[in-house]
Amino acid sequence: MVKKMIGIEGSFAIAEAVKLARVDAVAAYPITPQTHIVERLAEFVANGELDAEYIPVESEHSAMSACLGTSAVGARTFTATASQGLELMHEVLYVASSMRLPIVMTLANRAISAPLSIWTDHCDAMAVRDCGWIQIFAENAQQAFDLVLCAFRIAETPAVFLPVMVHIDGFYISHTIEPVQLLEQEAVDSFIPEYRHPYPLDPDRPVTMGAFGPPPIYTEAKKAQEVALRASKAVILEVWQEFSLLSGRHYSPVEGYEAGDADVLFLIMGSFSETAMVAIDRMRAKGQKVGLVRLRLWRPFPVQELRQTVGKAWVIIVLDRAISFGGRDPSVLKSRRRFIP
Amino acid sequence: MIEIRWHGRGGQGAVTSAELLALAAISEGKFAQAFPSFGPERRGAPVLVFNRVSPNSPIRARVSVAHPDIVIVLDPGLLYITDVTSGLKEDGILVLNTPKSLVEIRSELSGPWRLAVVNATSIAREMIGVPIVNTTMLGALARATRIVELDSLTEPILERFGARARGNVDACRKAYEETETGEPAGIVPKRPKIFEGEELPTWQELLPGCVLTKPGSARQYRTGDWRSERPVWDHQRCIKCGICYLFCPEGCVKQTKEGYFEADLYYCKGCGICARECWTEAIKMVEE
């Protein structure tokens, strides 16, 4: 089931995952540092390796709008973006989650202008924190490959039916070549069943999506959406458990590193946590009781798991890659012992 | 604090009435608030507007009025399609525009609250030339409730209506003079039969993403409630040409077995296009 380790760029590993998931539709607009993902997918479609509709669009707003349509007719749908592109598709993200369309998107995290910056931070991720998508952070190319595969399975589980965003740090993951174990097509086929929308857009069985909702209906709809997003955690845990049987790699909503007996903990999301592990190893070698908490699942927020992993630490240092202008705390959280996330 | 709920139809000026009332109260040194309950409604659809008036303290509540002291109804037809007395306080007052007398209205609508009636449509036609009763009903409100002085209403009406203001001021004054107020009739509420809408689904019942699987749900939408006039066919003049059928934008004109035409009043909005297009003048629009 598991193939041998190969050297591959993070973006291309993600494209391999999308191909293995047999997506039906990709609609995307290029933006650094995400471009390699969809360029590679366009190649796959062009050379016949991937039987999918590749929709080149004129903007990210159109990319996500096209994804709404393809997902709504029952096509497995993928897109990728970053930074300004994510900002441009912002309003459509809410439509995707509210209409419960299981789109999978990779976000190659990048700073937001100005001054113009193509480099990594999490300001783009934080700007879409509350858009109702399931959001997962990867720390390296292997995780990016694995978590994108899992994202399709999670999103399309009937009890979930929500879009999933997999965050990868721009350049640190998207443009880094590193060892990755891919999976056999048969293994992926058994892991990700066919996507079936229960009420697809179909001329023979007409439905209405996104109809007008006056306040009494809107309130009920938002409640249903919130309940679904919170309930998705149980499915995420199941899917990751099943994936570990397939691949030998296990994922959890919150993962510790040397966290058990630590007095001081770093709290980090994304690729920077691996760099932090190097520092923690050095400090541990000097006898300092430091450790790391990595937030893998960002939405729904894993409160219980975070409390458990934090354990008895006295200090939590949050290394946040986003700034909340005018706010006292960074976007993730900053607190000492007994914090309440 | 006095809380008021206005029942009107889109386009009848209920929002303007509430605004003018608030301006009049504020000009008297009181605290007042006016705000509409906006929906997707078109001209003719039932709408709600709210006022709060307080003689001596600022008004903080920014929510719709559920338990009004005063309910004021601009359109007589609204009594039969919406529960205008919903939440009306027992010591409150219901102010109606109706051609009926106090005694007639009491026979079909009574409760612990007081009643005030005025034929505002007739006054508005006479004084303004159109059956738009919003300023007229302000006069009735001032008379029935004394919530503001009649004179306080004049300045806001003059400001708002410019050249057309005189007729509105006169209509307001005439309604003030003609409004009849009656004491509480009885404590057993009696209300006209009202069309009940479908119950809305709860969050557990909604399909994922609020998808609607049955087409044609708009068919339940009773656009006939928007109507203030309905078409009546004169069979002496009708030549059964079907022009009314062709021009009806709602598709609600139907042919009878005898070959004449009639409107489906569940949907007919009373737009009057059929009457205008009928070249034998067989269709007249009559007030509901």
Side-chain angles (χ1 to χ4, degrees):
Chain A
M1 280 190 288
V2 177
K3 285 180 139 180
K4 75 175 177 61
M5 202 74 88
I6 58 164
I8 188 170
E9 187 186 286
S11 291
F12 296 156
I14 291 165
E16 291 289 340
V18 174
K19 186 181 78 173
L20 284 166
R22 297 188 192 274
V23 293
D24 300 305
V26 179
Y29 188 83
I31 182 170
T32 302
Q34 160 278 131
T35 308
H36 288 183
I37 303 171
V38 294
E39 270 181 359
R40 181 52 62 95
L41 285 169
E43 281 171 27
F44 287 153
V45 173
N47 67 20
E49 282 182 73
L50 174 61
D51 180 20
E53 197 69 39
Y54 188 94
I55 310 169
V57 285
E58 80 284 10
S59 78
E60 285 85 354
H61 190 280
S62 300
M64 186 48 66
S65 300
C67 288
L68 294 184
T70 56
S71 187
V73 299
R76 181 169 290 155
T77 300
F78 176 84
T79 188
T81 191
S83 182
Q84 314 298 132
L86 183 74
E87 293 294 306
L88 187 51
M89 68 166 63
H90 193 108
E91 59 159 329
V92 195
L93 297 173
Y94 287 78
V95 183
S97 56
S98 303
M99 297 211 311
R100 308 282 297 276
L101 296 172
I103 300 159
V104 172
M105 176 163 76
T106 302
L107 187 65
N109 302 116
R110 165 186 151 179
I112 296 172
S113 292
L116 197 153
S117 168
I118 58 168
W119 293 279
T120 287
D121 79 13
H122 288 174
C123 280
D124 57 357
M126 291 306 137
V128 298
R129 184 189 63 193
D130 297 331
C131 69
W133 287 49
I134 292 170
Q135 301 194 41
I136 296 163
F137 276 79
E139 297 161 330
N140 56 44
Q142 181 69 67
Q143 291 181 4
F145 172 85
D146 293 348
L147 293 170
V148 166
L149 275 182
C150 292
F152 285 105
R153 172 72 187 277
I154 293 164
E156 295 168 8
T157 300
V160 177
F161 252 78
L162 284 165
V164 180
M165 211 181 287
V166 178
H167 296 267
I168 61 157
D169 286 334
F171 297 106
Y172 291 105
I173 296 178
S174 66
H175 286 58
T176 301
I177 292 176
E178 53 186 298
V180 174
Q181 267 186 331
L182 304 183
L183 288 167
E184 296 288 356
Q185 184 67 62
E186 301 78 59
V188 174
D189 287 346
S190 67
F191 179 62
I192 307 176
E194 198 183 335
Y195 165 40
R196 282 193 180 278
H197 192 298
Y199 310 102
L201 286 181
D202 178 352
D204 294 331
R205 288 183 304 158
V207 298
T208 302
M209 292 183 179
F212 187 81
I217 285 287
Y218 187 86
T219 311
E220 299 295 318
K222 293 297 116 174
K223 168 74 178 175
Q225 196 182 337
E226 167 68 356
V227 168
L229 182 58
R230 284 177 188 271
S232 71
K233 198 173 81 180
V235 173
I236 294 167
L237 292 172
E238 277 173 33
V239 171
W240 283 346
Q241 176 65 29
E242 200 179 313
F243 185 78
S244 75
L245 301 175
L246 186 77
S247 67
R249 293 182 290 274
H250 189 76
Y251 296 102
S252 297
V254 177
E255 293 172 24
Y257 180 78
E258 302 283 5
D261 64 340
D263 292 329
V264 177
L265 280 175
F266 290 99
L267 176 63
I268 299 178
M269 298 200 295
S271 65
F272 198 41
S273 59
E274 297 214 327
T275 312
M277 289 176 194
V278 179
I280 286 163
D281 287 347
R282 288 184 188 169
M283 293 172 83
R284 281 274 172 182
K286 291 180 194 164
Q288 292 166 309
K289 288 168 88 173
V290 295
L292 173 64
V293 176
R294 301 125 75 200
L295 268 179
R296 162 109 32 244
L297 184 61
W298 172 229
R299 284 293 181 277
F301 193 81
V303 179
Q304 304 300 340
E305 291 86 345
L306 185 58
R307 285 206 176 118
Q308 281 161 19
T309 314
V310 163
K312 293 184 173 133
W314 281 90
V315 178
I316 297 170
I317 301 167
V318 180
L319 295 181
D320 199 335
R321 281 186 144 156
I323 185 167
S324 171
F325 295 110
R328 195 184 74 108
D329 293 336
S331 295
V332 179
L333 46 99
K334 181 175 79 181
S335 182
R336 282 194 283 178
R337 185 163 153 68
R338 289 190 192 162
F339 70 91
I340 298 178
Chain B
M1 185 171 62
I2 304 293
E3 295 186 301
I4 305 172
R5 188 174 67 218
W6 296 75
H7 290 264
R9 291 181 181 277
Q12 281 183 337
V15 174
T16 304
S17 299
E19 285 175 10
L20 296 174
L21 176 68
L23 292 175
I26 291 167
S27 77
E28 291 178 356
K30 294 171 181 158
F31 294 92
Q33 186 186 63
F35 65 101
S37 163
F38 276 118
E41 293 88 357
R42 300 291 191 279
R43 176 170 285 268
V47 296
L48 296 179
V49 196
F50 308 103
N51 276 123
R52 287 191 176 86
V53 178
S54 165
N56 44 30
S57 56
I59 296 161
R60 290 189 173 137
R62 289 178 192 278
V63 292
S64 48
V65 172
H67 300 288
D69 301 279
I70 302 166
V71 168
I72 179 159
V73 184
L74 296 192
D75 189 303
L78 290 171
L79 295 181
Y80 310 99
I81 59 171
T82 181
D83 182 6
V84 299
T85 62
S86 167
L88 177 59
K89 286 181 186 164
E90 293 209 345
D91 57 353
I93 181 164
L94 179 61
V95 186
L96 300 177
N97 167 23
T98 173
K100 294 176 183 169
S101 72
L102 211 47
V103 177
E104 283 175 292
I105 277 291
R106 274 219 184 108
S107 69
E108 55 178 288
L109 178 74
S110 66
W113 13 263
R114 286 184 300 144
L115 260 172
V117 296
V118 65
N119 190 346
T121 307
S122 151
I123 294 172
R125 276 194 201 281
E126 183 191 340
M127 312 304 286
I128 314 169
V130 287
I132 295 177
V133 300
N134 59 341
T135 46
T136 313
M137 287 304 283
L138 277 171
L141 180 69
R143 175 64 176 275
T145 68
R146 312 280 171 189
I147 192 160
V148 288
E149 295 296 325
L150 178 64
D151 288 340
S152 306
L153 290 164
T154 307
E155 195 59 34
I157 293 175
L158 288 172
E159 286 241 332
R160 176 62 61 98
F161 291 98
R164 289 172 297 134
R166 205 61 253 171
N168 282 278
V169 171
D170 292 344
C172 180
R173 288 188 174 274
K174 192 161 165 58
Y176 186 86
E177 287 155 17
E178 293 187 3
T179 298
E180 267 190 282
T181 306
E183 287 312 302
I187 50 161
V188 181
K190 187 164 139 194
R191 296 179 183 133
K193 191 168 163 41
I194 289 159
F195 169 75
E196 301 277 349
E198 278 197 21
E199 289 241 337
L200 295 172
T202 64
W203 66 268
Q204 297 97 331
E205 294 160 351
L206 288 169
L207 290 175
C210 293
V211 63
L212 303 174
T213 54
K214 287 182 197 145
S217 58
R219 215 177 291 154
Q220 296 160 11
Y221 197 22
R222 193 180 168 104
T223 49
D225 285 353
W226 306 8
R227 189 178 61 240
S228 51
E229 292 182 327
R230 76 188 132 90
V232 174
W233 276 256
D234 176 356
H235 290 181
Q236 301 300 317
R237 286 173 170 269
C238 177
I239 58 165
K240 304 178 180 176
C241 68
I243 285 287
C244 51
Y245 168 85
L246 289 174
F247 274 86
C248 175
E250 281 297 302
C252 68
V253 172
K254 294 188 167 58
Q255 195 163 22
T256 63
K257 274 185 207 153
E258 295 78 37
Y260 293 111
F261 291 87
E262 63 184 21
D264 182 340
L265 295 177
Y266 191 94
Y267 299 113
C268 173
K269 296 170 180 168
C271 68
I273 289 174
C274 54
R276 184 175 173 128
E277 295 298 331
C278 177
W279 59 290
T280 63
E281 298 180 355
I283 304 172
K284 291 271 176 305
M285 298 303 290
V286 299
E287 261 173 51
E288 283 291 344

